Amino acid sequence: MSRHRIANTVGLVLATLVCWLYGLHLYHAANRPLYSDVKLPSIEPVSPHSTEHTMDPVLSDSNDGILTFVHASDLHISKYVATGGLVHFQHFLRTAVPLVSPRLVVVTGDLTDGKDKQKLISQQQLEEWQAYKRALSQTDYVQRFNGTFYRDQRGNHDCFNVFSQASSENYFGMYSAVGDSSGYMLRIDEPFGTYSFVASDGCPRHGFARPLNFFGYLDARDMQLLESRLEEARGSSHVFMLNHYPVSTMVYGKYRKEFGELVRQVSVFLCGHLHELVGGIGAQLQAYKAREGYWELEIGDMKEHAVYRVYAVDHDIVSF
């Protein structure tokens, strides 16, 4: 076995051990109650006959005032693996999405697997990107609602060995639905409210080989772009932020504002990346960030577990 393969194997073993131990920490953190320990001032109940009684709509079985969207992540379409990946994605597109009939579908990265046949060396595989685009082209999702129905973004596997967004191996720009590697800001205006979806690209500016890009990074320019997009979203009923990496696996560069300050108006932070970790200990990676005031909701992978999550925003109450 060559030195290169030995080094790759040792690196993967060490990275797996670190990730598994960190997964235990995330598992315990995620299973804490999803509410803040901060005590709020008590509010006196209002009599239904009082003139101060509000006229907020009553929740019912009506479809009025409801925005639905679907979140999926970590497809890992592979040219070397016939099961899972592409098969699960095609079933999702052809069966699940029509059944749910959402207003929006968001996919938070790792669209392709980007590994060699032995799964030791990382490299972009053109055939995987072509398969992804072909699956999408068999639907009208990219064009639906004037191009606002389907949104994707990069994960760490999508930027293996991609050393700049202008690189010829940055296939995301050519084969994805969004095309812009830096993310996006999508604003959905409904008669009952305005909802913004802000996606950031956590891939390191120079996409290293595995396992070195397990952690994401937003430098000062990325933070400035994020602030600009969040400013566009100001005034929305809810702001949903999307990133491939969970906050716990991100590093934030020096900027005039800390990340926590930037995302004060965010309601929910949607992410993927960790799959379900080892032995399913990551099946429920969810946490409430009391200081910043948002939920962080990581979702498992479509690659092996074929999972996706349906969100309903009913009169601005978010449920999933």
Side-chain angles (χ1 to χ4, degrees):
M1 182 179 291
S2 67
R3 290 184 178 179
H4 184 67
R5 287 184 178 274
I6 292 175
N8 268 290
T9 302
V10 172
L12 287 172
V13 171
L14 291 175
T16 301
L17 179 60
V18 170
C19 294
W20 190 84
L21 292 173
Y22 192 60
L24 285 175
H25 164 72
L26 292 175
Y27 172 74
H28 290 297
N31 281 279
R32 294 170 185 161
L34 292 179
Y35 57 79
S36 170
D37 293 330
V38 178
K39 293 186 177 181
L40 300 176
S42 60
I43 300 175
E44 292 296 326
V46 178
S47 167
H49 302 293
S50 169
T51 56
E52 298 179 10
H53 183 62
T54 61
M55 297 302 293
D56 291 338
V58 177
L59 298 184
S60 68
D61 59 358
S62 169
N63 289 330
D64 295 337
I66 300 178
L67 174 79
T68 58
F69 67 94
V70 177
H71 175 210
S73 192
D74 295 86
L75 316 181
H76 289 270
I77 294 173
S78 172
K79 65 180 287 187
Y80 299 111
V81 181
T83 58
L86 181 60
V87 175
H88 289 165
F89 183 53
Q90 289 175 325
H91 179 76
F92 170 71
L93 295 178
R94 298 175 186 177
T95 305
V97 173
L99 181 65
V100 176
S101 189
R103 170 59 183 83
L104 172 70
V105 175
V106 293
V107 181
T108 51
D110 277 1
L111 312 177
T112 63
D113 202 39
K115 296 197 292 284
D116 68 348
K117 190 173 184 178
Q118 287 73 35
K119 301 182 181 181
L120 294 175
I121 299 175
S122 56
Q123 61 188 84
Q124 295 301 307
Q125 303 285 358
L126 178 59
E127 296 90 337
E128 295 174 356
W129 286 100
Q130 291 172 333
Y132 174 70
K133 185 170 186 176
R134 188 162 51 248
L136 281 178
S137 67
Q138 293 169 354
T139 71
D140 68 342
Y141 296 165
V142 176
Q143 296 79 27
R144 188 177 293 184
F145 296 141
N146 295 318
T148 65
F149 178 74
Y150 184 92
R151 283 288 185 270
D152 52 18
Q153 63 189 111
R154 297 195 304 173
N156 59 310
H157 283 245
D158 304 319
C159 57
F160 279 154
N161 299 63
V162 177
F163 292 100
S164 76
Q165 293 186 5
S167 168
S168 60
E169 291 200 1
N170 184 21
Y171 295 133
F172 181 89
M174 294 178 279
Y175 295 96
S176 68
V178 171
D180 186 350
S181 299
S182 71
Y184 58 86
M185 193 298 225
L186 174 65
R187 186 183 181 101
I188 296 179
D189 292 305
E190 297 288 357
F192 48 84
T194 297
Y195 306 91
S196 294
F197 296 79
V198 178
S200 59
D201 180 51
C203 289
R205 197 166 294 276
H206 303 290
F208 302 107
R210 63 195 300 257
L212 299 179
N213 71 355
F214 179 81
F215 293 92
Y217 181 67
L218 292 184
D219 63 19
R221 284 177 291 179
D222 297 323
M223 297 281 276
Q224 184 178 29
L225 178 59
L226 175 60
E227 182 181 26
S228 174
R229 286 171 171 164
L230 288 172
E231 187 61 34
E232 287 184 61
R234 189 170 297 280
S236 300
S237 306
H238 280 292
V239 177
F240 299 90
M241 184 174 170
L242 306 100
N243 193 60
H244 177 66
Y245 302 84
V247 174
S248 56
T249 60
M250 286 290 298
V251 177
Y252 299 100
K254 291 184 178 179
Y255 187 58
R256 63 187 187 89
K257 291 184 180 180
E258 297 289 333
F259 176 76
E261 185 180 354
L262 286 180
V263 298
R264 285 293 169 86
Q265 61 174 315
V266 171
S267 300
V268 183
F269 183 99
L270 305 175
C271 55
H273 186 48
L274 298 179
H275 298 212
E276 293 192 2
L277 296 176
V278 179
I281 64 174
Q284 295 294 328
L285 290 180
Q286 305 166 3
Y288 180 67
K289 306 289 186 178
R291 181 175 300 176
E292 294 83 6
Y294 67 85
W295 295 348
E296 182 179 359
L297 302 177
E298 195 263 353
I299 191 170
D301 59 287
M302 184 162 287
K303 173 187 176 183
E304 294 179 352
H305 299 97
V307 296
Y308 57 90
R309 183 175 290 142
V310 180
Y311 288 84
V313 186
D314 189 345
H315 292 88
D316 288 343
I317 297 176
V318 180
S319 60
F320 57 92

